[in-house]
């Protein structure tokens, strides 16, 4: 029911259809929203219908008075529709990830490895590497980072087309990617330690992540050793433990030698 000549605000100077059968009108003596009564009754709440000024089968909502009531409900429906579309798209993406890993991998063929990686570079998959050296880093190519949250990208050092993460901060991108790439899931030796690392060191990430996922997908508050979710972390922990044990053995041997030498160094005087 497109408005033609007049309205309760006089002759119509401007008429814009802002949604199906919902019009924004500027007249000679005022402006606001006009909705055919039947459409309003079928799509809006009783309060909004009752708030409209009726004239010739239409309801009018003047600007500065009741116009926000139909606007709010209209935007509320749009938000709900957008959320449904988002959930549907996410479900479709998840289905593609599960059934089309081969096709997904083809998107990343030819990605070069990190340039400044030192010795001992370990390839996890196209675009994901573990660097060598005393302080190994997880390197993730920018193309792979498209599957990560902006929050996860912020914790990486961006250099030469790769995001670099310490063994601890690697918890965030790995949590984003472990359900996308099976290789990332296989890197995580302990889901409990991964969650504990996030809970301990990155609670803001956990809060943001949990705010947008279902209850069963939320990161739990868990009590477990942190920073033991990667093989590299376990190796370092074992090496540190062996080093400490060796240091203790050396100290004990040193004490034993001191005790043995003590008697030899004492000069006994016979009276």
């Amino acid at each position: 029911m497109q408005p033609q000549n007049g309205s309760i605000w006089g002759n119509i100077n401007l008429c814009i259809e802002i949604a199906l059968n919902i019009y924004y009108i500027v007249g000679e003596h005022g402006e606001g929203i006009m909705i055919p009564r039947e459409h309003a009754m079928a799509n809006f709440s009783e309060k909004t219908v009752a708030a409209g000024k009726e004239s010739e089968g239409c309801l009018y909502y003047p600007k500065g008075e009741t116009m926000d009531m139909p606007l709010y409900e209209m935007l509320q429906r749009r938000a709900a529709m957008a959320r449904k579309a988002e959930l549907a798209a996410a479900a479709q993406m998840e289905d593609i990830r599960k059934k089309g890993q081969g096709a997904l991998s083809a998107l990343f063929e030819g990605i070069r490895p990190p340039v400044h990686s030192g010795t001992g570079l370990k390839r996890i998959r196209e675009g994901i590497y573990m660097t060598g050296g005393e302080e190994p880093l997880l390197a993730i190519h920018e193309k792979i980072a498209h599957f990560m949250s902006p929050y996860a990208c912020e914790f990486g050092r961006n250099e030469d087309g790769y995001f670099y993460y310490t063994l601890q901060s690697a918890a965030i991108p790995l949590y984003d990617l472990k359900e996308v790439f099976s290789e990332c899931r296989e890197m995580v030796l302990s889901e409990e330690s991964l969650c504990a690392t996030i809970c301990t060191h990155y609670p803001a990430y956990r809060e943001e992540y949990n705010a947008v996922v279902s209850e069963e997908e939320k990161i739990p508050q868990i009590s477990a050793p942190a920073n033991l979710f990667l093989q590299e972390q376990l190796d370092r922990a074992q090496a540190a433990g062996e080093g400490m044990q060796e240091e203790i053995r050396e100290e004990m041997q040193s004490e034993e030698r001191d005790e043995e030498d003590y008697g030899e160094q004492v000069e006994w005087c016979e009276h």
Side-chain angles (χ1 to χ4, degrees):
M1 185 179 176
Q2 176 74 39
Q4 298 297 327
N5 299 320
S7 70
I8 64 170
W9 301 304
N11 291 331
I12 297 174
N13 297 324
L14 177 67
C15 178
I16 302 173
E17 189 172 21
I18 58 176
L20 180 63
N21 291 327
I22 302 176
Y23 304 91
Y24 186 85
I25 292 175
V26 178
E28 293 177 299
H29 309 297
E31 60 186 278
I33 287 179
M34 188 215 78
I35 309 172
R37 180 177 174 79
E38 290 184 1
H39 184 78
M41 292 179 65
N43 294 278
F44 291 85
S45 67
E46 293 182 6
K47 286 185 177 180
T48 296
V49 171
K53 297 180 180 179
E54 185 173 358
S55 176
E56 298 183 359
C58 294
L59 298 179
Y60 290 83
Y61 300 86
K63 182 179 180 181
E65 298 180 23
T66 56
M67 188 178 77
D68 287 344
M69 294 179 69
L71 272 181
Y72 180 84
E73 291 195 37
M74 182 181 72
L75 295 174
Q76 195 175 41
R77 286 199 304 274
R78 285 184 178 178
M81 291 175 63
R83 179 59 178 161
K84 289 180 180 178
E86 180 184 359
L87 292 174
Q92 291 174 357
M93 289 174 64
E94 183 65 19
D95 188 56
I96 291 173
R97 291 168 186 168
K98 290 180 179 178
K99 296 179 179 178
Q101 287 292 334
L104 190 63
S105 297
L107 295 174
F108 310 108
E109 289 179 355
I111 294 180
R112 59 171 179 76
V115 177
H116 306 293
S117 56
T119 59
L121 182 67
K122 178 182 177 182
R123 178 183 178 277
I124 308 301
R125 59 153 293 128
E126 298 92 347
I128 303 179
Y129 293 83
M130 186 67 74
T131 68
E134 294 183 1
E135 297 293 336
L137 301 171
L138 178 65
I140 300 176
H141 195 271
E142 290 176 340
K143 288 186 177 180
I144 300 290
H146 292 164
F147 289 88
M148 297 173 358
S149 63
Y151 194 97
C153 293
E154 289 177 3
F155 275 89
R157 173 172 55 85
N158 194 349
E159 183 179 334
D160 298 324
Y162 273 83
F163 288 94
Y164 291 88
Y165 298 86
T166 65
L167 295 183
Q168 176 177 289
S169 62
I172 298 178
L174 283 179
Y175 203 91
D176 278 0
L177 297 175
K178 65 185 178 68
E179 299 303 328
V180 181
F181 301 105
S182 59
E183 296 89 346
C184 292
R185 185 169 59 253
E186 292 167 0
M187 288 181 67
V188 179
L189 301 182
S190 171
E191 184 82 14
E192 290 78 11
S193 180
L194 179 67
C195 292
T197 303
I198 292 174
C199 292
T200 302
H201 299 286
Y202 309 106
Y205 169 79
R206 176 175 177 263
E207 182 178 350
E208 289 194 5
Y209 184 92
N210 287 354
V212 296
V213 298
S214 61
E215 190 66 31
E216 58 271 15
E217 296 175 307
K218 290 184 177 182
I219 302 173
Q221 183 67 48
I222 192 168
S223 178
N227 295 320
L228 290 178
F229 56 89
L230 292 172
Q231 184 63 53
E232 289 77 8
Q233 293 171 323
L234 293 176
D235 293 342
R236 291 161 70 90
Q238 183 178 357
E242 291 175 352
M244 185 174 295
Q245 291 176 5
E246 182 63 28
E247 184 177 341
I248 292 173
R249 281 196 296 269
E250 290 179 357
E251 290 179 357
M252 292 178 62
Q253 291 172 358
S254 177
E255 290 176 358
E256 290 174 357
R257 286 194 299 269
D258 291 342
E259 290 177 357
E260 292 173 357
D261 295 341
Y262 178 77
E264 296 177 0
Q265 294 173 2
V266 175
E267 294 182 1
W268 296 94
C269 297
E270 295 182 358
H271 297 283

